[in-house]
Every structure is written in structure tokens, then in C-alpha cells.
Amino acid sequence: MSNPECGSVDLAVVGSLNLDVSIPVQELPLPGETVLGGDALWTPGGKGANQAVAAARLGRAVAMVGCVGTDSAGRQLVDALVADSIDVSAVIELEGVPTGLAAIAVSAAGENSIVVSPGANARLTPGHVVDTLERLRPRAVLAQFEIPAVAIAAIGRRGPLFVLNPAPGRRMSSDELASVDVVVPNRGELAALVEGQPATSNDDLIDQVRSLGVDRVV
């Protein structure tokens, strides 16, 4: 049953928008080494934008909350969201700040090495998050760790279901976790949350999940 206090948006994704520059290489370069690669592929990315697109393609009404620059990369990312019928009214274009960029080397074996320059993503403010959620009144909110921690904390207990994908992994305090309804980590991210080592058995995995103090962990 839908919540009558919610607006028309099923999901608000509070997260990152990056332009991914992927270069195929035979082997990943060693420190100080230069290698030649194949043709670069420029594609829309960012953990937040990727998840927004996935949800929209599953038929949900999705809004993106984030920041880009006023450069060509920012326009490309916003246009890509619009093409998937995503509400971009809460994507801010910032003057004098570059759009987020991910440089990705992909080896022939399928391994990759990634460097992310957050750019505009690092300028997402708690005030913008709060104002947007109050305006959109989504049924659920999804966030990741490619935006400032203060922007994530601003989501808090505002009514909608709060789902957190804690990537890239870092520790969270018990106070931060208390505002989260569902956590979706992989083993490495789960270990980072509890400041431990990745679980090597199901028993260890269950112990780490229980130590989070969150009711629902996927």
C-alpha cells in the first residue's frame, strides 16, 4: 500500500554522477609504469546515477539528487538521466567546479584499477538534500558513499525508507547507522563498517551483520 503522505516519486537517489573514462589494457600498469591501451570509452557513471538508471528501467519513478559542473561532462550525464525518464530537478549545476570523473583501466583478464575524482559530487550539501526530500516526499531514499558524509547524515529519519549501499567501504558510527533502515554491503564493505577483516565463514559473516545493529542487511 502506498503512503498517502508521499509524493509521486518512488525513489530518490542521493548520490554521485561521474563520467567514466575506461581504457582497455593488456595488463594493469605497475607503479611508475606507462602502458599503451586501446580506444577510450566515455560513458555515464557514478554509483548514484547507475542505481537511479537501474531503478528507472525497472519501472519506478526516480529522482536524482546530486551535483555536476557546468561543463560538457555534466550536460552529458544529465541528458543520460533524462533519457531514462529520471527527474533531474534536484541535480545542481555548479559553476567553476568540474563534474566527477572516474578513470578506469581494464585489463584483458577483466581486472580493473579505478581512480575517482569527485569534483562536484564533493559539494553536495545537507541543506540541498533536506530541501529536496521535503519537496519530493519520495517513498524510499537510496544513498552511497561517493558523496559527503554530512549529506548522507542529512537523510536521517525523515519518513521514507532509507537504503544505504556503503560503497566505497568505510566505518560508520552507531549513531549514523541508527538512521538507516536497510544496508546493502558486500563482504569487504561489511568488514569496513565493523572495522574488521572480511568474513571467511558464514558464522563470521552472521556475527558481523548482527554487530551492525541494523534490522535489515542484504
Side-chain angles (χ1 to χ4, degrees):
M1 180 183 299
S2 63
N3 184 343
E5 294 182 355
C6 291
S8 60
V9 174
D10 294 319
L11 176 67
V13 179
V14 181
S16 57
L17 301 95
N18 292 325
L19 182 63
D20 291 348
V21 183
S22 302
I23 302 176
V25 294
Q26 191 60 36
E27 294 184 355
L28 298 179
L30 299 172
E33 181 183 18
T34 298
V35 298
L36 293 178
D39 292 342
L41 180 64
W42 301 68
T43 55
K47 293 185 185 298
N50 287 343
Q51 292 176 2
V53 168
R57 290 181 181 179
L58 288 171
R60 312 313 300 181
V62 181
M64 185 73 210
V65 186
C67 300
V68 296
T70 55
D71 46 25
S72 60
R75 290 191 294 274
Q76 179 180 341
L77 296 180
V78 172
D79 288 346
L81 293 177
V82 171
D84 272 296
S85 301
I86 294 170
D87 181 343
V88 295
S89 63
V91 177
I92 301 176
E93 296 183 358
L94 300 175
E95 292 278 357
V97 177
T99 296
L101 179 72
I104 309 167
V106 185
S107 76
E111 298 292 333
N112 60 39
S113 181
I114 304 173
V115 177
V116 176
S117 173
N121 294 306
R123 277 74 168 183
L124 181 59
T125 66
H128 180 57
V129 172
V130 171
D131 291 345
T132 298
L133 295 184
E134 289 180 350
R135 173 174 63 85
L136 295 176
R137 294 180 292 124
R139 293 173 172 81
V141 179
L142 172 62
Q144 319 78 30
F145 281 167
E146 285 187 335
I147 55 174
V150 290
I152 296 171
I155 297 170
R157 287 288 185 184
R158 299 194 169 275
L161 183 75
F162 180 11
V163 181
L164 178 67
N165 172 215
R170 69 166 173 83
R171 183 185 178 278
M172 290 184 76
S173 69
S174 57
D175 287 344
E176 287 178 296
L177 282 168
S179 66
V180 180
D181 297 299
V182 184
V183 180
V184 188
N186 63 25
R187 286 185 183 234
E189 293 153 5
L190 176 61
L193 287 173
V194 300
E195 293 186 295
Q197 296 298 316
T200 57
S201 70
N202 285 340
D203 288 342
D204 290 342
L205 191 66
I206 291 169
D207 287 343
Q208 288 185 345
V209 166
R210 286 176 173 164
S211 70
L212 285 178
V214 178
D215 289 338
R216 285 169 282 186
V217 180
V218 181

